[in-house]
Amino acid sequence: MLSLLTFRLHGTIPAAIGRELKASLRGAQEAGTDRRRAQKQFFARFDAVLDRAPIGPRYFENEKIAEVLAGEILMLEETGFRVHGFAILPNHAHLVLELPDDSPLSFAKAIDLLHLRTSTNCRRLVRPKLPPEAEFWQVGWHEFEVQKGAELIRLLAYVRGNARQAGLPARFQEWPYVND
């Protein structure tokens, strides 16, 4: 399984915009738009909202917190994943991961564990800013199944260029949390 995953910090998309995004996806599917095309359109709108960062925390501006996430992502390779690339932005992260078909691991359980480990470790660093009962990550993640070949190449280019396209300063475009 080869996927583009997007994790976002809790509270980074206003509820009304989240409902609009979901409604537009349902509307596209009901109108007969190809499922894959509808998902791509949804992702483009979803990521544009995250890139604008209208609300919510921006914890990954702190390099120590970003390092925790980057380290955990790279450790996935020790469990059998292939990390094709990733980018960590102030309020979200994109990961392009592949789990071989013959792997005994469950993709969803491994990603749940990544979510849990990074949340626990990052919370320690933001403890003064985050009450104990507050969520770190938004529950779940956005997943888009990637086809090998040209689509993979385009998505990796997107992930590498996301900080520039989002208008973030050069520090985010060149910092060590963009992997390929």
Side-chain angles (χ1 to χ4, degrees), residues 115-134:
H115 233 220
L116 179 63
R117 280 194 324 264
T118 55
S119 175
T120 301
N121 293 330
C122 291
R123 284 177 68 79
R124 288 185 188 124
L125 297 172
V126 296
R127 183 162 280 139
K129 297 178 186 175
L130 191 64
E133 68 281 358

Side-chain angles (χ1 to χ4, degrees), residues 93-177:
H94 297 298
L95 301 78
V96 181
L97 303 175
E98 182 175 10
L99 184 62
D101 293 334
D102 61 350
S103 174
L105 292 176
S106 160
F107 188 88
K109 286 183 181 180
I111 300 306
D112 277 340
L113 186 57
L114 175 66
H115 233 220
L116 179 63
R117 280 194 324 264
T118 55
S119 175
T120 301
N121 293 330
C122 291
R123 284 177 68 79
R124 288 185 188 124
L125 297 172
V126 296
R127 183 162 280 139
K129 297 178 186 175
L130 191 64
E133 68 281 358
E135 297 288 335
F136 182 80
W137 289 117
Q138 182 66 33
V139 174
W141 57 83
H142 181 271
E143 180 177 0
F144 179 76
E145 193 170 325
V146 179
Q147 297 173 351
K148 289 187 179 182
E151 184 175 63
L152 175 59
I153 292 167
R154 281 192 307 274
L155 279 174
L156 287 171
Y158 176 81
V159 168
R160 280 191 299 273
N162 189 220
R164 184 184 70 258
Q165 291 171 339
L168 292 170
R171 173 179 160 244
F172 282 93
Q173 296 172 35
E174 299 169 3
W175 72 337
Y177 312 115

Side-chain angles (χ1 to χ4, degrees), residues 19-113:
R19 286 189 297 272
E20 288 173 19
L21 288 169
K22 287 179 184 177
S24 71
L25 177 61
R26 277 192 308 274
Q29 290 172 333
E30 289 169 1
T33 303
D34 173 66
R35 182 178 182 273
R36 212 163 159 68
R37 182 172 177 80
Q39 287 180 329
K40 285 180 182 182
Q41 292 169 346
F42 172 84
F43 174 76
R45 289 190 290 270
F46 171 78
D47 198 43
V49 172
L50 288 172
D51 289 345
R52 284 193 313 271
I55 65 168
R58 297 171 60 89
Y59 297 136
F60 298 119
E61 288 179 330
N62 178 310
E63 289 193 36
K64 287 183 181 182
I65 297 171
E67 286 174 1
V68 167
L69 179 56
E72 290 288 343
I73 292 168
L74 291 172
M75 284 182 51
L76 285 172
E77 291 196 335
E78 294 180 18
T79 65
F81 277 87
R82 178 160 181 222
V83 178
H84 287 272
F86 66 90
I88 301 173
L89 290 92
N91 64 355
H92 68 289
H94 297 298
L95 301 78
V96 181
L97 303 175
E98 182 175 10
L99 184 62
D101 293 334
D102 61 350
S103 174
L105 292 176
S106 160
F107 188 88
K109 286 183 181 180
I111 300 306
D112 277 340
L113 186 57

